[in-house]
């Protein structure tokens, strides 16, 4: 099936840059050190795509006690050390973006400094000249704020926007904004994505090109 749209709004982590697996591996390891063992299903459902603040709250609920005071800072240092050394775009993303002629934007739960660093690192800052981070809205994903703000900036009605996501939090946000969501299933379980409301799932950017009619 080919979808009609007037604009496309992309998530960043796990969709444009290959960071989701990195962050999940670090988080899972650090939580294990604190006594909280997570299986992949719980990790993806409760942590992937959420803000760091939400993740800390969820971890403490599951753990039943506060995390170490330096947990968030330690996580960020480990994460940045890896992406500064080795950060790549998702396979096929450059070709995909070169073929899109409709307006595009980015909407990410990352902080501005992280978002800008990632895009600069993979040399896609100019392509995403319209971009919004968690600091631009009152509520991050799974609230719809980021996607609504991006649609407004593009001057396109939300119902005419397609969202490209991977996480359950992001899919939920896109749907809450009144948009259709195409979910990248290379890493995450497409059954979970479909259950969250994804319109359709795809496993490669070449497959997405077909869905977008490129």
């Amino acid at each position: 099936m080919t979808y009609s749209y007037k604009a496309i709004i992309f998530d960043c982590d796990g969709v444009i840059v290959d960071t989701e697996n990195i962050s999940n591996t670090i988080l899972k390891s650090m939580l294990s050190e604190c006594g909280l063992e997570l299986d992949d299903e719980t990790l993806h459902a409760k942590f992937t795509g959420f803000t760091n603040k939400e993740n800390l709250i969820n971890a403490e609920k599951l753990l039943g006690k506060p995390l170490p005071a330096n947990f968030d800072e330690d996580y960020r240092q480990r994460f940045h050390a890896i992406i500064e050394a080795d950060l790549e775009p998702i396979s096929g993303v450059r070709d995909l973006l070169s073929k899109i002629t409709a307006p595009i934007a980015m909407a990410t739960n990352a902080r501005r400094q992280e978002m800008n660093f990632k895009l600069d690192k993979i040399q896609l800052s100019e392509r995403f000249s319209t971009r919004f981070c968690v600091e631009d809205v009152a509520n991050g994903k799974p609230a719809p704020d980021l996607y609504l703000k991006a649609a407004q900036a593009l001057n396109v009605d939300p119902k005419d926007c397609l969202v490209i996501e991977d996480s359950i939090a992001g899919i939920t946000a896109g749907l809450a904004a009144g948009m259709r969501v195409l979910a990248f299933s290379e890493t995450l379980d497409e059954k979970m994505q479909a259950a969250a409301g994804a319109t359709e799932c795809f496993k490669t950017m070449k497959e997405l090109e077909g869905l977008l009619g490129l």
Side-chain angles (χ1 to χ4, degrees), residues 66-170:
L67 292 166
N70 65 335
F71 187 94
D72 189 38
E73 181 60 29
D74 189 12
Y75 164 82
R76 291 181 186 280
Q77 287 180 359
R78 295 191 196 188
F79 179 73
H80 279 289
I82 294 175
I83 66 173
E84 283 178 10
D86 185 23
L87 181 65
E88 297 290 339
I90 294 291
S91 178
V93 155
R94 292 190 188 280
D95 286 343
L96 170 74
L97 292 174
S98 71
K99 295 175 182 178
I100 295 173
T101 57
I104 68 168
M106 174 173 285
T108 173
N109 260 353
R111 295 180 182 181
R112 181 169 290 102
Q113 183 178 355
E114 291 180 359
M115 172 183 67
N116 291 341
F117 172 81
K118 293 166 189 171
L119 289 176
D120 287 344
K121 182 79 172 176
I122 63 171
Q123 300 179 328
L124 285 176
S125 293
E126 289 187 10
R127 189 69 180 96
F128 286 102
S129 56
T130 301
R131 56 183 186 262
F132 298 99
C133 66
V134 71
E135 292 160 285
D136 293 318
V137 293
N139 302 291
K141 305 171 193 177
D145 303 30
L146 275 162
Y147 283 117
L148 291 174
K149 192 173 185 69
Q152 183 180 35
L154 295 175
N155 197 29
V156 176
D157 192 295
K159 66 180 176 57
D160 294 320
C161 295
L162 277 183
V163 164
I164 312 301
E165 265 287 356
D166 64 328
S167 71
I168 304 306

